[in-house]
Amino acid sequence: LDGQTFVVNHLDENSFQPGLRDYHAYRDLGIAAATNGKAVAHVAKVTGPCPEGGSGWHYHDTEFQFVYVLKGSITVEFEGQGPVEMKAGTTWLQPPRIKHQVLGFSDDMEALEIVLPANFGTTECDPPASSS
């Protein structure tokens, strides 16, 4: 990626901010600014309960999305895959525009996400035909 700048980001618990979901807070790791928006990296941590019935089906307009569970666990249902529980140490690659919904998570869940591009869209959608 051309045009990158050097960045270091030290842990500061006060750096977590509201973001896409109101039950998570996000710590921006400075990658979006350092790559001129080509990528984003953040840590998401739980700040409240999962909505009853889950997050609702949605997908992200991405080119690449990688997630690594740092602490706790999270259960996500993916189109064509069904529900998958991810625990600390689990990683997954989420293909572009795959429909999914968060079904639940532990109170201590934290995950690292790396996504291209930095400013990706999220679209709420109907469940896939193969889901209940």
Side-chain angles (χ1 to χ4, degrees):
L1 299 171
D2 58 6
Q4 294 181 46
T5 58
F6 180 79
V7 65
V8 172
N9 186 283
H10 297 284
L11 176 61
D12 175 356
E13 287 296 328
N14 296 320
S15 65
F16 284 88
Q17 301 294 318
L20 177 64
R21 304 287 177 198
D22 60 4
Y23 44 83
H24 286 151
Y26 299 85
R27 175 179 159 220
D28 178 30
L29 301 180
I31 305 304
T35 62
N36 293 312
K38 293 179 182 171
V40 65
H42 57 250
V43 175
K45 72 176 184 176
V46 170
T47 58
C50 188
E52 188 173 326
S55 65
W57 286 95
H58 61 280
Y59 61 85
H60 305 293
D61 289 310
T62 63
E63 296 172 27
F64 175 87
Q65 186 172 8
F66 171 85
V67 184
Y68 179 87
V69 180
L70 299 165
K71 292 172 52 178
S73 66
I74 183 169
T75 301
V76 184
E77 183 174 8
F78 296 95
E79 178 178 18
Q81 302 300 315
V84 181
E85 181 183 19
M86 276 69 91
K87 297 178 181 180
T90 301
T91 66
W92 75 90
L93 180 67
Q94 193 162 304
R97 298 177 61 96
I98 187 172
K99 292 180 179 181
H100 62 283
Q101 66 171 336
V102 175
L103 297 175
F105 41 74
S106 63
D107 292 343
D108 63 343
M109 194 284 298
E110 290 187 20
L112 168 69
E113 289 188 290
I114 302 169
V115 186
L116 282 76
N119 293 317
F120 61 91
T122 297
T123 302
E124 305 298 322
C125 62
D126 292 328
S130 61
S131 295
S132 52

